[in-house]
Amino acid sequence: MILEEAPEAPAREVVEQESFLVRVDAADETSVRALAEAYADRLAEVDDDRLGDFAYTANTGRAEHRFGTVVSGGDAGELAVALRDVASGASPVARRSGRTSAPVVFMFTGQGSQYAGMGQGLYRTEPAFRAALDECADLLAGHLDVPLADLLFGTSAHLLDSTRFAQVGIVSVQVALVRWLESVGVRPDVVVGHSLGELSAGWAAGVVGLEDLLRLAVVRGGLMESQPGAGAMAAVHGDAAAVVEALRAFPGVEVAAFNSPRVVTVSGPADAVARFREGSGLRSQPLAVSHAFHSVLMEGAVAPFAEAVSGVEWSAPRVAFASTISGGWHTPESVRDAGVWARGIREPVRFAEAVGLVSGVGAGVVWEIGAQPQLTSLARASWQGDEPSLWLSTLRRDRVDQAEVYAAVAAYAGTGAGSVDWAGAHAGKGHRTTTLPTYPFHRQDLVAPPARGERAAPAAPPAPTVGHPLFDRHYEHRSEGQ
């Protein structure tokens, strides 16, 4: 019965997308591949402005099953190619065990990962990322000389070459990345950060609030930039012990970071670092920096930063938090120690030690959180024991932001390493449910066995004397019961 016509769909504002994710789930591998083929065929009929609706329906409109995969692509053609690879068997289909996933690690990059326009693509296409960055901008209004959006994407982006602005820009983008990952259901069980990244890791671990994090990033960057600038740094390739031994002959040069067993960063006055590079016999490359970070030339920033840290309210870590200042696990006491955070400006970064510690938790996935991956190769070289099944990065310079993060999410979900909040992935984008190919059931004709009455039919009753259907059945029933 039709009571009245359906109401007109309200007008909607669709957020323009640069990439799409499509989930393909079914009860068995054969059905996954059949559904992928049907999806690929249907995409040939989907208009570009309805591609988000197609993805939304596939991702949120069907129940998750034990078998499945996730593909990503920038348009219908790329998605169709990826789906046909699934259909043909060229791409694997994951079987989800239902067991608890192995721990997820977030690694936070430090200074040097920044560039003009970092995160701008996600700011346009991902409402959760944009909301987080806008929140950071509001909190920084009284602490930063330029608006955050202008610093990252606008006419002031050249200031990212300055330590004072680079550090707060990096931290803000990392905050927005964490918030976006959280919106799609990805959260860390363990965090670790390289130098400046330790502050962001602390926020992700719940030890410091967002406003205090941003304020400390501004203070830290300003203090480090104000120190003597006639310094240099270099990445040295060689056994860490051999590098430390070689430094004895070059006064003034010291280790700034133990990045991996065979990659060490040295720091010091520019002329001393030049002599070391020429005379040590070790292969090295100069780093494009304005100051000699993590060296004696940073000594003047230590006490002022400790004073700034002492005015912050700190909490115990909510997730495991490995320190690259000490090389050990942070404790409720260590995160409240202003001296610990201040030493992170002057003392060497013990990234290799911290990663060795993290490798003992049996991590399943490691995400590098930052505008440019810098740590993954170093972490893999420092990992002890079985490596995680996935190493994933977020943004990358000169790549499409959304395509980059979606490829990582597709790997994360498609291999069964973790689950995704699909409703969260589409929240605020204006997508609607549409029609998709039906589920490819395995149809099979079944023949019912003979009825019991047919197997042992009773003798026919006497013919009734009353010719009425109801009376006849009544008569038959009474006759059979007598």
Side-chain angles (χ1 to χ4, degrees):
M1 180 188 302
I2 299 176
L3 300 179
E4 63 177 296
E5 64 180 343
E8 291 186 9
R12 58 173 172 165
E13 182 178 347
V14 180
V15 178
E16 184 178 353
Q17 301 290 281
E18 296 175 332
S19 189
F20 301 87
L21 291 166
V22 173
R23 176 174 67 90
V24 191
D25 270 22
D28 55 55
E29 183 175 339
T30 301
S31 295
V32 172
R33 299 196 186 282
L35 188 58
E37 182 71 27
Y39 279 178
D41 291 341
R42 177 60 61 85
L43 280 170
E45 307 168 3
V46 177
D47 295 335
D48 290 343
D49 60 349
R50 294 290 185 266
L51 196 52
D53 295 342
F54 181 98
Y56 171 72
T57 308
N59 296 338
T60 67
R62 284 185 160 144
E64 292 191 0
H65 291 278
R66 181 175 297 181
F67 291 83
T69 189
V70 178
V71 300
S72 65
D75 54 30
E78 289 184 4
L79 286 172
V81 168
L83 288 165
R84 293 196 193 284
D85 283 344
V86 175
S88 68
S91 295
V93 170
R95 177 175 180 173
R96 302 182 180 94
S97 65
R99 298 192 300 269
T100 302
S101 300
V104 173
V105 177
F106 280 9
M107 296 190 307
F108 292 84
T109 54
Q111 191 168 341
S113 60
Q114 76 276 7
Y115 52 88
M118 57 181 176
Q120 187 170 11
L122 285 188
Y123 190 82
R124 288 195 305 265
T125 59
E126 292 294 337
F129 183 93
R130 181 169 57 252
L133 213 55
D134 287 346
E135 183 182 357
C136 290
D138 291 342
L139 293 173
L140 284 167
H143 303 286
L144 202 58
D145 295 340
V146 298
L148 180 62
D150 194 42
L151 173 64
L152 296 176
F153 317 135
T155 56
S156 298
H158 64 281
L159 295 174
L160 289 171
D161 293 334
S162 164
T163 298
R164 177 188 173 197
F165 293 99
Q167 294 200 7
V168 70
I170 291 167
V171 167
S172 298
V173 170
Q174 288 175 333
V175 166
L177 284 168
V178 171
R179 287 276 183 84
W180 177 77
L181 284 168
E182 185 179 70
S183 76
V184 300
V186 183
R187 295 174 177 82
D189 302 296
V190 184
V191 296
V192 61
H194 191 287
S195 188
L196 169 67
E198 182 133 349
L199 274 177
S200 299
W203 168 77
V207 305
V208 63
L210 180 57
E211 184 172 8
D212 284 331
L213 167 72
L214 296 170
R215 183 177 65 82
L216 288 177
V218 172
V219 172
R220 188 180 191 272
L223 287 170
M224 294 176 74
E225 186 175 84
S226 68
Q227 302 309 299
M233 301 179 74
V236 183
H237 300 270
D239 181 77
V243 175
V244 171
E245 181 62 30
L247 288 173
R248 296 178 182 274
F250 300 91
V253 184
E254 53 191 303
V255 173
F258 294 97
N259 288 323
S260 77
R262 296 193 59 79
V263 178
V264 176
T265 299
V266 297
S267 182
D271 55 349
V273 172
R275 286 194 298 272
F276 170 82
R277 293 190 60 229
E278 293 173 4
S280 67
L282 297 169
R283 184 167 62 92
S284 63
Q285 289 90 32
L287 300 180
V289 296
S290 59
H291 293 70
F293 302 125
H294 301 284
S295 77
V296 69
L297 296 179
M298 290 288 112
E299 190 67 48
V302 174
F305 191 62
E307 183 178 355
V309 171
S310 64
V312 171
E313 183 177 347
W314 299 87
S315 303
R318 292 200 295 262
V319 301
F321 182 9
S323 172
T324 56
I325 300 173
S326 67
W329 293 111
H330 265 301
T331 65
E333 293 72 32
S334 69
V335 296
R336 294 185 176 97
D337 188 336
V340 170
W341 293 99
R343 291 202 308 272
I345 290 176
R346 166 68 181 87
E347 295 183 1
V349 180
R350 301 187 178 278
F351 182 71
E353 291 179 52
V355 169
L357 198 65
V358 170
S359 62
V361 305
V365 182
V366 179
W367 289 82
E368 182 167 350
I369 310 297
Q372 178 71 12
Q374 296 179 321
L375 304 178
T376 298
S377 61
L378 300 173
R380 296 187 74 165
S382 304
W383 205 265
Q384 300 173 10
D386 295 335
E387 281 200 32
S389 58
L390 284 175
W391 295 85
L392 301 172
S393 59
T394 44
L395 302 179
R396 192 180 293 265
R397 190 169 192 163
D398 299 326
R399 300 279 185 89
V400 176
D401 287 354
Q402 196 176 41
E404 197 70 12
V405 296
Y406 274 17
V409 170
Y412 177 74
T415 59
S419 60
V420 170
D421 179 349
W422 292 107
H426 289 273
K429 296 180 179 179
H431 297 152
R432 291 175 177 165
T433 301
T434 188
T435 302
L436 292 185
T438 57
Y439 183 88
F441 289 103
H442 292 309
R443 302 187 183 278
Q444 183 178 1
D445 292 333
L446 299 177
V447 178
R452 185 175 59 182
E454 296 177 9
R455 293 196 297 268
T465 59
V466 182
H468 191 285
L470 291 177
F471 292 159
D472 290 351
R473 288 201 297 271
H474 182 66
Y475 176 80
E476 290 168 5
H477 176 70
R478 292 290 299 275
S479 299
E480 290 170 359
Q482 289 177 348

